[in-house]
Amino acid sequence: MCIRDGPPAEPPTAGAAPDGAHLHAPVIDWFEDNARDLPWRRPEAGAWGVMVSEFMLQQTPVSRVLPVYEQWLARWPRPADLAAEAPGEAVRAWGRLGYPRRALRLHGAAVAITERHGGDVPADHAQPLALPGIGEYTAAAVASFAHGQRHAVLDTNVRRVFARAVTGVQYPPNATTAAERRLARTLLPEDERTAARWAAASMELGALVCTAKNESCHRCPIAAQCAWRLAGKPEHAGPPRRGQTYAGTDRQVRGKLLAVLREAHAPVPQSALDRVWHEPVQRARALDGLVADGLVEPLPGGLYRLPHS
């Protein structure tokens, strides 16, 4: 990963079981001094604030999430507040964060929390897993960040830190593997509070220092122990890393169609949607996809609106 003053540690022995004990203290100490002051990290955010942030931060940078998050929590400070609204209002408030199905899933989770758990995000890790739209990562993140529990929290940043520091490769696989999950569990501190801090600290290290490009090795607290740096930072030798394109894609067309519907507080005619994209076949495909995903509701007379139920 990165570099720090002092003699380098011996590189990990090939085939040896990884031991995270020598990583925990320096990474957590670095986090205590360098963690960003983010609203979902404050005590008043609670489990609901953490859950909202985790939905919003998927594939979306913090800078774009912050204003939407703050508006969302001001409007819907508890799950029951969101559950009482039509799902289309969640899509409208989602704005231009992208991947708007996340808004529907978050609304569905709020409804389930209200109906099954009295309006409070459950603390038991298994219970959020049973909520709609919540997978292993989100359940572990809420349990760890909101309740201080001991869970491996594997997002892209954490996976990159572990790949470099322990495995000795530049990038993790495109999709999370069973081996990565085993490694994350092996590296998890035994003490519950320390494990929760480790989860947050390793994530922040990947976000601020051990970044995908232009990593700041001179600022890294575990540079002297980093297997990738000690190996001379070998170039990525795995499958090509997937790049994200947007211009001209169906995603862009879907975004333009949703923008019209978000700005309108009454059903809009087909003609209003036709004006946002010049290519009729792609436009129709994008609109059909939005309807199929439950993000747009067709009405008689060729009208469309955000979902009401």
Side-chain angles (χ1 to χ4, degrees):
M1 271 173 23
C2 309
I3 200 163
R4 200 179 182 88
D5 293 336
E10 289 298 319
T13 304
D19 177 10
H22 64 293
L23 303 176
H24 298 152
V27 172
I28 292 172
D29 288 347
W30 171 88
F31 180 69
E32 299 294 342
D33 293 335
N34 296 278
R36 291 168 291 180
D37 179 19
L38 300 173
W40 45 86
R41 288 179 175 162
R42 300 169 190 161
E44 61 268 24
W48 174 238
V50 172
M51 179 177 287
V52 170
S53 75
E54 289 300 332
F55 271 78
M56 291 184 173
L57 287 164
Q58 294 167 22
Q59 303 182 71
T60 308
V62 166
S63 59
R64 289 182 58 199
V65 166
L66 279 170
V68 180
Y69 173 89
E70 291 171 347
Q71 293 165 12
W72 190 285
L73 267 296
R75 181 174 178 180
W76 298 309
R78 289 179 50 80
D81 301 316
L82 176 60
E85 298 255 21
E89 287 306 301
V91 177
R92 193 188 313 280
W94 198 256
R96 303 188 66 84
L97 281 183
Y99 303 98
R101 278 178 289 183
R102 293 179 291 169
L104 287 184
R105 292 179 185 136
L106 184 50
H107 182 273
V111 171
I113 290 167
T114 303
E115 293 175 348
R116 303 177 199 172
H117 302 288
D120 293 319
V121 177
D124 183 349
H125 173 254
Q127 290 178 318
L129 271 174
L131 297 173
I134 295 185
E136 174 58 37
Y137 166 78
T138 303
V142 172
S144 180
F145 301 152
H147 301 296
Q149 297 175 10
R150 183 179 182 271
H151 294 281
V153 184
L154 267 179
D155 81 334
T156 301
N157 291 311
V158 176
R159 293 174 62 223
R160 187 170 55 254
V161 169
F162 291 175
R164 292 177 180 174
V166 179
T167 312
V169 297
Q170 185 177 18
Y171 298 118
N174 285 332
T176 306
T177 65
E180 288 181 282
R181 293 188 178 94
R182 288 193 298 270
L183 173 60
R185 290 193 294 269
T186 300
L187 296 175
L188 200 59
E190 290 297 329
D191 174 70
E192 193 167 56
R193 182 179 181 278
T194 305
R197 296 303 283 170
W198 166 250
S202 55
M203 186 175 294
E204 190 80 335
L205 186 66
L208 299 184
V209 175
C210 193
T211 51
K213 297 180 180 179
N214 303 316
E215 63 277 354
S216 299
C217 294
H218 61 286
R219 297 195 293 125
C220 181
I222 54 173
Q225 299 146 289
C226 174
W228 181 57
R229 189 191 68 83
L230 292 170
K233 293 187 177 181
E235 291 290 327
H236 178 63
R241 301 180 70 229
R242 293 193 298 258
Q244 290 189 335
T245 58
Y246 184 72
T249 63
D250 284 6
R251 276 188 58 219
Q252 183 184 22
V253 184
R254 285 163 60 101
K256 288 180 175 293
L257 294 170
L258 275 181
V260 174
L261 295 165
R262 282 199 310 270
E263 292 165 7
H265 291 272
V268 302
Q270 177 78 53
S271 58
L273 298 176
D274 289 345
R275 288 194 290 269
V276 305
W277 195 252
H278 61 283
E279 210 289 304
V281 174
Q282 188 180 26
R283 186 179 63 236
R285 183 172 65 241
L287 181 58
D288 288 345
L290 290 170
V291 172
D293 290 342
L295 289 162
V296 172
E297 186 177 329
L299 300 173
L303 299 175
Y304 295 87
R305 67 181 181 188
L306 297 177
H308 275 227
S309 60

